[in-house]
């Protein structure tokens, strides 16, 4: 699938630059052409000779290379590619990209390109979790930049945590997905995410603590496997991922309408925390204290059951996955819910306050299918998403 594709590979100045050499080898083996670009700092970690010899192509290093400007200028170089890949994407390169700097060949190419850009970030855990880097990441994702990794693990600097560059095989898979390949290519997947807000009056609403982190991670993981993703989201804290079609809703009723408008889909992953009830007697004006000390009496009406409607309706996605956020008897409730709602899989998690799962970055889930229950170890929501997306790809194969 990569045969005949041209990848512009920018290698930044991080220890993980050595892994870029293996990535070049994988891409070449798959028949892609790799145009390597090495930053000045990148040249401190791998030699120009290794990169150009493995790529079998001219290496570009200097913006002010007059020969290059005569033969192939920086604009042309940035446009000739099918995809621009930055591996390793250092904190510095990400900062330059996020602020639109163009003070060397790599940053100028990244600003001038009209092609999709895939970053494989790699840096020390503190650099990665620093608010500045996270701010830059959010900006870049908002600009439609794709990312793969970083992984969590032991780092060259001896610290442990997220920041290690994704392995060359994973970057290769992300490149395939970005170019329209991947096991979910041609599949349409619906993902719901976030909380719903149910109005009480024009200024107040009932909400829940869902941040949208798990649904967002799932949408990104499914996208990375090549799926066309429609992401129907309530007012979440976590920004929606790039590269998916985003439909924003507030209430459960709006979410149901958006979901039905999205079908048909090959799979539906319903990770939204939909309110069970809405206020039936919403006030048209802001409710005021009347001095009597009496609290207003709210009446509730049951919301539509979006999961059951999709699982039992038509056109039914081939695979319907529900989420069960429980605080007691998690497994028993989730198993019963799978049958009651008519969905294929139920992802159960314990969202009791002590678990830190609701609104946190980690999740501990049990996947319930017709075959039984599988409890996965506690891991990041990104890791849960990647594992679940891989299972969905298997099921739709
Ligand atoms: C030994 C060493 C290892 C480094 N590793 C990383 C790294 O993994 N990630 C990173 O963002 N910066 C790393 N840096 C810092 C970058 O090299 C530095 O910010 C540089 O300006 C980045 O240049 P670039 O924009 O060309 O990538 C490292 C520096 C040294 C001296």
């Amino acid at each position: 699938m990569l045969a005949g594709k041209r990848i512009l590979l920018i290698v930044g100045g991080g220890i993980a630059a050595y892994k870029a050499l293996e990535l070049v080898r994988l891409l070449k083996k798959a028949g892609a052409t790799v145009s390597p670009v090495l930053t000045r700092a990148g040249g401190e970690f791998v030699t120009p000779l290794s990169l150009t010899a493995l790529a079998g192509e001219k290496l570009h290093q200097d913006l002010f290379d007059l020969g290059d400007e005569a033969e192939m200028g920086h604009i042309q170089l940035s446009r000739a590619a099918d995809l621009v890949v930055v591996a390793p994407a250092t904190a510095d390169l990400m900062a330059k990209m996020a602020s639109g700097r163009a003070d060397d060949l790599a940053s100028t190419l990244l600003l001038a390109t009209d092609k999709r850009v895939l970053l494989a970030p790699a840096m020390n855990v503190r650099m990665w979790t620093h608010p500045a880097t996270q701010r830059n990441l959010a900006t870049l994702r908002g600009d439609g930049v794709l990312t793969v990794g970083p992984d969590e693990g032991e780092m060259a600097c001896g610290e442990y945590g997220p920041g290690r560059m994704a392995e060359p095989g994973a970057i290769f898979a992300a490149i395939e997905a970005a170019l329209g390949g991947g096991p979910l290519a041609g599949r349409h997947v619906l993902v719901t995410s976030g909380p719903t807000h149910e109005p009480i009056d024009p200024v107040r609403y009932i909400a829940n603590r869902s941040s949208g982190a798990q649904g967002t991670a799932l949408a990104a993981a499914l996208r990375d496997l090549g799926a066309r993703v429609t992401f129907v989201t309530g007012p979440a804290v976590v920004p929606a991922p790039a590269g998916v079609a985003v439909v924003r809703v507030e209430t459960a009723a709006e979410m149901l309408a958006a979901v039905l408008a999205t079908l048909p889909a090959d799979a539906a992953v319903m990770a939204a925390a939909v309110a069970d009830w809405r206020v039936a007697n919403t006030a048209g004006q802001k409710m005021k204290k009347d001095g009597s000390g009496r609290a207003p009496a709210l009446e509730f009406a049951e919301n539509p059951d979006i999961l059951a409607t999709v699982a039992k309706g038509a056109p039914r996605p081939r695979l319907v996955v529900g989420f069960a956020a429980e605080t007691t008897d998690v497994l028993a409730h989730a198993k019963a819910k799978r049958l009651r709602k008519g969905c294929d899989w139920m992802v159960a998690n314990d969202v009791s306050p002590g678990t830190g799962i609701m609104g946190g970055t980690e999740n501990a889930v049990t996947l319930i299918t017709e075959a039984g229950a599988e409890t996965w170890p506690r891991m990041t929501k990104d890791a849960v998403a990647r594992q679940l997306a891989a299972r969905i790809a298997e099921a739709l194969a």
Side-chain angles (χ1 to χ4, degrees), residues 247-315:
V247 183
R248 295 182 196 281
V249 298
E250 277 211 15
T251 64
E254 287 170 10
M255 187 170 275
L256 176 64
V259 160
L260 294 179
T262 293
L263 298 177
D266 294 287
V269 184
M270 318 290 271
V274 182
D276 288 333
W277 297 282
R278 66 181 178 280
V279 177
N281 55 341
T282 50
Q285 304 297 331
K286 185 182 172 200
M287 289 176 173
K288 297 264 190 214
K289 285 189 276 193
D290 62 7
S292 70
R294 270 198 314 273
L298 297 181
E299 287 166 23
F300 290 91
E302 198 165 331
N303 266 331
D305 189 328
I306 303 176
L307 178 57
T309 306
V310 170
K312 294 178 183 173

Side-chain angles (χ1 to χ4, degrees), residues 164-176:
R164 205 168 67 173
M165 189 168 86
E167 292 304 319
I171 303 175
F172 180 88
I175 292 171
E176 273 196 317

Side-chain angles (χ1 to χ4, degrees), residues 3 30 37 72 122 134 159 216 319 383 386:
V37 173
M72 183 189 238
Q134 290 303 309
E159 289 189 66
T216 300
L319 183 72
R386 281 198 295 273

Side-chain angles (χ1 to χ4, degrees), residues 180-246:
L184 287 173
R187 304 285 187 205
H188 178 211
V189 182
L190 160 70
V191 177
T192 69
S193 180
T196 62
H197 285 182
E198 307 295 335
I200 297 170
D201 66 16
V203 297
R204 303 185 180 93
Y205 55 81
I206 294 176
N208 61 63
R209 293 184 194 279
S210 166
S211 65
Q214 188 62 81
T216 300
L218 269 163
L222 291 159
R223 172 204 65 197
D224 289 348
L225 295 184
R228 177 168 71 85
V229 176
T230 303
F231 184 64
V232 177
T233 178
V237 176
V238 174
V244 305
V246 181

Side-chain angles (χ1 to χ4, degrees), residues 100-123:
R101 302 266 319 254
D103 63 357
D104 63 2
L105 180 61
S107 52
T108 306
L109 292 173
L110 286 161
L111 199 59
T113 190
D114 59 353
K115 297 298 177 342
R116 295 180 91 185
V117 176
L118 171 71
L119 303 184
M123 64 201 72

Side-chain angles (χ1 to χ4, degrees), residues 16 18 79 86 98 123 132 155 209 219 221 227 248 329 331 357 361:
Y18 76 93
R79 305 279 167 86
V86 188
M123 64 201 72
M155 322 198 71
R209 293 184 194 279
R248 295 182 196 281
D329 286 336
L331 266 195
I357 285 174
T361 57

Side-chain angles (χ1 to χ4, degrees), residues 12-15 39 41 45 90-93 96 122-123 127:
I15 292 276
T39 68
F45 294 88
T90 55
D92 182 58
L93 272 171
K96 280 184 183 170
M123 64 201 72
M127 291 172 82

